[in-house]
Amino acid sequence: MRAAVYPGSFDPITNGHLDVIKRSAGLFDLLIVAVAKNSGKKPTFSVEERIDMIRRVTHHIPNVVVDNFEGLLVEYAASKNTSVIIKGLRAVSDFEYEFQMALMNKKLKPGIETVFIMTDHKYSYLSSSMVREVASLGGSIEGLVPDEIIADIENKYK
């Protein structure tokens, strides 16, 4: 079985993330969407809230599972018996950072490959931080995130 890990903070999941998830799920038998517990960041949503939102918007994709991890991504991927890490890219600026990370991951675990997937062009400007900013200022986040989680995000800022 070919499995892949798609890691991220998903704070919150956006339509760009969901686009990468759907397309990656079509390429692999199993796609593990892995929410990072990054102690260096101060997330808006708890790990549990992020997992819940991702599960709700991916429930219809049978080969997607949602999990969380902390520590080195390559160690997590190896613990899940996968040798593929999916990284979504929006623009060339994403590539430079992700390329460096992929090379470091390759140095740490030579058997793990990174696959880059470009998000649909209509989401190339979209980021979780942008969604949080718009929501915190009372703007509409419709079309930026899956409809099922709009209320969760708006309620966080009320």
Side-chain angles (χ1 to χ4, degrees):
M1 173 177 11
R2 292 290 293 167
V5 174
Y6 177 37
S9 57
F10 306 106
D11 187 36
I13 187 170
T14 68
N15 283 337
H17 293 131
L18 189 56
D19 175 59
V20 171
I21 289 169
K22 288 176 181 175
R23 292 173 38 228
S24 298
L27 298 173
F28 295 91
D29 300 317
L30 174 67
L31 179 66
I32 303 165
V33 179
V35 177
K37 292 182 187 178
N38 186 341
S39 58
K41 288 186 177 181
K42 192 81 169 142
T44 300
F45 296 91
S46 70
V47 170
E48 294 76 20
E49 289 171 318
R50 290 180 273 159
I51 288 171
D52 176 64
M53 287 189 282
I54 297 167
R55 283 184 177 147
R56 289 189 345 232
V57 303
T58 61
H59 70 90
H60 63 285
I61 310 171
N63 61 328
V64 170
V65 297
V66 185
D67 195 12
N68 67 81
F69 75 100
E70 60 185 321
L72 290 173
L73 173 58
V74 290
E75 295 297 336
Y76 173 78
S79 77
K80 295 297 178 180
N81 297 315
T82 181
S83 60
V84 178
I85 295 170
I86 301 290
K87 293 302 233 155
L89 300 176
R90 295 170 296 186
V92 173
S93 56
D94 287 345
F95 178 75
E96 187 173 345
Y97 173 77
E98 295 297 350
F99 181 67
Q100 289 175 341
M101 293 299 294
L103 291 174
M104 178 57 72
N105 287 338
K106 193 70 160 163
K107 170 104 172 88
L108 294 170
K109 288 267 188 213
I112 293 185
E113 297 293 339
T114 300
V115 174
F116 297 107
I117 296 187
M118 294 296 301
T119 189
D120 189 292
H121 72 284
K122 64 186 170 192
Y123 305 122
S124 63
Y125 66 93
L126 187 54
S127 68
S128 294
S129 57
M130 194 175 292
V131 168
R132 290 192 309 271
E133 184 169 354
V134 169
S136 72
L137 297 171
S140 172
I141 55 172
E142 189 173 319
L144 305 179
V145 298
D147 291 341
E148 302 94 322
I149 65 167
I150 289 175
D152 299 78
I153 298 166
E154 290 175 342
N155 288 336
K156 192 60 106 169
Y157 293 101
K158 286 186 180 176

